[in-house]
Amino acid sequence: MNSAIRADTDKSLRGPSTEPVADIALLLEGTYPYIRGGVSSWVHQIIAGLPEIRFAVIFIGAEQEMYGSAQYQFPSNVTHVETHYLMQHEKQLKPNSRKGNRRAFSEMDELHAYMRQSESIPSEKMINAFSRLGSGGGISKEDFLYSEASWDYITGQYRQRCTEPSFVDYFWAIRAMHTPLFVLADIAAGLPPVRAVHAISTGYAGLLGAMIRLRRNIPFVLTEHGIYTKERKIDLAQATWIHDHNDDVCNTLHDEMGYIRGLWIKFYEQIGRMAYAQASPIVSLYEGNRLRQIADGAAAEKTLVITNGIDVQRYQAALEKRPEEIPPVLGLIGRVVPIKDIKTFIRTLRMLVNERPDAQGWIVGPEDEDPVYVNECKELAASLGLKDQVKFLGFQNMLEILPQLGLMVLTSISEALPLVVLEAFASGVPCLATDVGSCRELIEGRSEEDRALGAAGSLVFIADPEGTAKAALELLNNPPRWHAAQQAGLERVKRYYNDKLMFSSYGDLYAKALDSGLAPARQPSVST
């Protein structure tokens, strides 16, 4: 049902089945090694920076058609790799008449009751639910899809709770939410022995971590770069594949959004809470996200902050290549996706070119994640007469691009701690960024001592091309201010965002996790 692949298919890497194949299993949803970008770069950086740790890479994607070949070459300390897809089309089960396990559905109803009330779920109930999920002793996939017990439960919940008239929409939403859980249960059951697991988000990867923790009683570490639940809320509020009964609230963040849309949001909120309940520690990249995790249900005593870091010396060559004159080039380095708000960047260029005809905007990053949005952005640039000024360069060597930029620009509507800002600072490029995530800390400093270094650029409002163009002009047209921002960024990244600090912190974190999990991982008893 699931595909498990290794780039070199070297079976000797697995070792004896009774021995751990890795120290840490990284649980990765939609990122490394198939998608390039900030999180994937960070994962590769952590693996390469801690060569004494053996890593397993467990990739979870939506559909196989969405991903191409691996974009990274695995370091030698990656000893096991699996690739799984949540929306499997092969080996579809045939419908067949079956009664179903009504006791298991009753237990799931109790679990849902806790979830609806946002209460802490007793561990024994989670263990019962997830250790037997997908088996005959719990709710099997066949029971969920085709049994009388499942039909009675879904129709009963619809009559009791759904406020929209379409049972068809409700039925398929429930199926779409829950069918991937059976894939996760299979991954958790089939994962070879590892000493600890580390999920790099909540969502499905975080829920898989919780399942493995409950089934095997091994340490589960969680790191969130962005807040997954918040980002899914943004995506779901704008999703056109969800059909709200009230079209007036479709595609908004309005409190009165349709029931099905709200159901999806609650689903991601609750699986996030499950991951928080089982993970320890829970890591964020900056204090604002740590507080958000606590507000979303994480226990404060389990949370901590470990900032990102980069190899500053690696960017010395880029710094030395910088021309004496300030290039009138704005660079947006990132995926061409709506959350990066590429359209605001393009509109910024239209306003900037009116004042600086020599200005250019370079969009540097992969374009394969959302082809429809990419096409909309290119059409917008053409319609604004910017074919010669706005360039879509795709994936490029950062060390070649950075010396050619006058400003790094992030127009994102959501960020965590963007590595591209640190890379820009190390290369001598000031930054403009929306006031999201840790961008204020990066540009203005996070402590009194840090702030004394000065601003390494400017903060701008979300979706404000006029304000962003004005801020760009104030830097590009004022060389003393630009050079002061450059020096502030250089000093800040050297002092506070060196990758050696990050490696040390994660090395200590892994050591504690592995020491606490020296006892053999227990395998669950699954009744049939």
Side-chain angles (χ1 to χ4, degrees), residues 30-343:
T31 55
Y32 186 84
Y34 295 102
I35 298 294
R36 286 192 175 272
V39 174
S40 293
S41 297
W42 179 89
V43 171
H44 193 72
Q45 185 183 12
I46 285 289
I47 294 172
L50 295 172
E52 70 278 12
I53 302 290
R54 295 177 303 153
F55 288 96
V57 170
I58 313 299
F59 172 86
I60 307 167
E63 297 179 282
Q64 186 169 2
E65 294 76 15
M66 296 174 63
Y67 304 95
S69 58
Q71 300 295 300
Y72 294 84
Q73 183 174 352
F74 295 119
S76 59
N77 56 326
V78 173
T79 55
H80 181 77
V81 177
E82 295 180 13
T83 296
H84 301 273
Y85 299 102
L86 298 177
M87 308 301 292
Q88 295 289 343
H89 295 299
E90 70 273 15
K91 297 183 180 178
Q92 292 288 349
L93 299 171
K94 290 185 178 181
N96 57 87
S97 178
R98 53 196 307 119
K99 295 290 185 183
N101 187 337
R102 292 188 179 274
R103 178 181 58 80
F105 278 96
S106 178
E107 291 177 350
M108 192 60 67
D109 188 30
E110 292 182 27
L111 194 68
H112 285 160
Y114 282 102
M115 293 168 66
R116 281 191 294 271
Q117 297 168 23
S118 297
E119 294 183 5
S120 297
I121 302 171
S123 293
E124 64 272 13
K125 291 192 177 296
M126 289 190 67
I127 291 172
N128 288 339
F130 290 121
S131 66
R132 296 182 298 180
L133 185 67
S135 72
I139 299 177
S140 67
K141 186 175 182 180
E142 292 85 351
D143 273 2
F144 172 71
L145 293 176
Y146 306 123
S147 73
E148 292 179 17
S150 179
W151 175 260
D152 290 344
Y153 183 73
I154 293 173
T155 55
Q157 292 294 304
Y158 170 75
R159 294 189 186 98
Q160 184 179 356
R161 305 188 183 281
C162 188
T163 59
E164 293 183 7
S166 174
F167 173 72
V168 171
D169 287 345
Y170 176 83
F171 176 81
W172 287 109
I174 295 299
R175 279 210 169 189
M177 284 176 196
H178 291 83
T179 300
L181 305 189
F182 294 94
V183 179
L184 298 182
D186 285 348
I187 299 171
L191 182 68
V194 295
R195 296 175 63 192
V197 294
H198 183 186
I200 315 302
S201 68
T202 55
Y204 291 112
L207 184 58
L208 176 59
M211 287 184 179
I212 295 170
R213 165 70 179 163
L214 290 163
R215 294 177 70 106
R216 302 194 181 194
N217 195 31
I218 60 175
F220 166 34
V221 176
L222 174 64
T223 294
E224 287 194 276
H225 286 247
I227 299 297
Y228 183 101
T229 304
K230 182 186 78 172
E231 293 177 359
R232 293 293 76 74
K233 284 181 181 179
I234 294 171
D235 293 341
L236 289 165
Q238 302 176 30
T240 57
W241 53 268
I242 300 176
H243 303 291
D244 285 292
H245 175 57
N246 185 349
D247 291 336
D248 292 337
V249 299
C250 186
N251 301 329
T252 74
L253 288 170
H254 198 282
D255 288 340
E256 297 179 1
M257 67 175 62
Y259 181 86
I260 302 299
R261 197 178 299 272
L263 194 64
W264 273 104
I265 289 174
K266 290 176 184 176
F267 171 76
Y268 284 112
E269 288 176 343
Q270 293 304 331
I271 64 174
R273 291 175 68 90
M274 290 182 184
Y276 288 154
Q278 298 304 316
S280 184
I282 301 167
V283 183
S284 57
L285 303 187
Y286 65 102
E287 181 64 11
N289 266 7
R290 188 185 77 85
L291 296 176
R292 180 62 185 257
Q293 289 172 329
I294 295 169
D296 287 347
E301 64 273 13
K302 296 199 296 184
T303 63
L304 63 104
V305 173
I306 301 177
T307 62
N308 277 347
I310 63 169
D311 180 0
V312 176
Q313 190 59 38
R314 178 171 180 259
Y315 298 88
Q316 183 63 32
L319 178 63
E320 292 172 354
K321 286 181 182 178
R322 292 203 61 78
E324 290 187 13
E325 297 295 320
I326 301 170
V329 180
L330 276 61
L332 190 156
I333 298 178
R335 298 168 296 137
V336 184
V337 292
I339 205 165
K340 301 295 185 183
D341 197 3
I342 309 297
K343 293 179 181 179

Side-chain angles (χ1 to χ4, degrees), residues 436-449:
V436 296
S438 64
C439 291
R440 181 173 291 276
E441 293 182 4
L442 293 177
I443 290 175
E444 296 183 351
R446 57 178 171 167
S447 65
E448 185 175 347
E449 180 183 9

Side-chain angles (χ1 to χ4, degrees), residues 438-473:
S438 64
C439 291
R440 181 173 291 276
E441 293 182 4
L442 293 177
I443 290 175
E444 296 183 351
R446 57 178 171 167
S447 65
E448 185 175 347
E449 180 183 9
D450 190 0
R451 287 189 290 271
L453 297 175
S458 296
L459 292 162
V460 297
F461 292 114
I462 292 173
D464 182 13
E466 183 176 0
T468 306
K470 181 181 177 181
L473 283 169

